[in-house]
Amino acid sequence: MAGILDLLNSDLGKTIISGVSGSTGTDQDRTGSVLTMALPVLMKAMERNASTPEGAEGLLGAIKGKHDGGILDNLGDLFGGGVNEEVVNDGDKILGHVLGAKRNGVEQVIGQKSGLDSGAVGNILKVAAPILMGVLGKQASQSNVSSTNGLSGLLGGLLGGSETKNEQSFLEKILDADGDGSVIDDVAGMVLGGGSKKGGLGGLLGGLFGK
């Protein structure tokens, strides 16, 4: 299964980046940087939430219902006339649910590293969150995930599995950083000093974090 960052490098990913960029009025390079940092963090937060039975049931219900991946079949329509308010409101709810009290801290850290204010980061994430849920829904359907047991494998696979242990702890630190960018610099050094594959999540994040 392709990881979440492989997705961003694919044709679908380029469509998502250019569409989110156009709909939020942020240039494509910065939008790409924000999504490259934010999507793994959101996936990690979902993985945390799904570690409880209630959280797993809630996520499974969402990706088997409203977020079954249908949004990915209509990206042209979604971005063509400007993203409608319903999608943005949905994204806002997803972020609130997935990140909870950590949302401001995550948006601030990503803003510091991408050169955008946290409000602009928030706008990008509101559009991206429903699309990310759609990616999860589509992967769940392709992998025949029908119970909460298959959910952790699905999330872990998209995050790169156990080979990316250092990178996983890096994502945990972003979630727990409370907007303190210096924590991220320290952790980026730790991740990239850990012999991680340059082509993998560590290399990609390291490039973004200036290491």
Side-chain angles (χ1 to χ4, degrees), residues 38-206:
L39 294 188
V41 173
L42 289 174
M43 295 282 314
K44 190 71 192 169
M46 285 180 194
E47 189 181 50
R48 273 189 181 182
N49 293 351
S51 64
T52 67
E54 302 85 347
E57 285 289 349
L59 184 56
L60 188 68
I63 61 177
K64 293 195 86 54
K66 183 176 186 182
H67 298 289
D68 61 358
I71 192 170
L72 301 178
D73 301 326
N74 299 302
L75 286 180
D77 294 340
L78 176 70
F79 295 132
V83 176
N84 70 38
E85 204 60 29
E86 189 187 337
V87 171
V88 175
N89 289 340
D90 190 30
D92 193 39
K93 285 185 194 142
I94 293 166
L95 293 172
H97 184 71
V98 169
L99 293 174
K102 299 182 183 299
R103 181 172 174 180
N104 284 343
V106 167
E107 288 176 357
Q108 278 172 13
V109 167
I110 292 172
Q112 284 168 20
K113 296 300 162 190
S114 59
L116 294 169
D117 64 59
S118 58
V121 172
N123 288 337
I124 291 171
L125 297 192
K126 279 184 228 173
V127 179
I131 297 171
L132 179 62
M133 290 292 287
V135 168
L136 265 182
K138 192 162 263 255
Q139 288 277 18
S141 143
Q142 287 170 352
S143 308
N144 293 319
V145 173
S146 55
S147 70
T148 52
N149 294 341
L151 207 51
S152 60
L154 177 72
L155 292 165
L158 281 164
L159 279 163
S162 56
E163 301 143 42
T164 55
K165 198 164 172 208
N166 280 341
E167 289 91 330
Q168 303 286 326
S169 66
F170 175 67
L171 298 175
E172 299 267 6
K173 287 284 197 305
I174 293 184
L175 280 172
D176 295 332
D178 294 331
D180 179 2
S182 63
V183 171
I184 304 307
D185 291 330
D186 295 344
V187 182
M190 178 191 88
V191 169
L192 298 165
S196 49
K197 303 184 296 296
K198 264 299 173 199
L201 190 53
L204 220 149
L205 290 169

Side-chain angles (χ1 to χ4, degrees), residues 14-32:
K14 293 185 178 91
T15 303
I16 292 169
I17 289 170
S18 76
V20 172
S21 162
S23 64
T24 58
T26 313
D27 74 63
Q28 285 202 30
D29 285 348
R30 285 190 172 176
T31 302

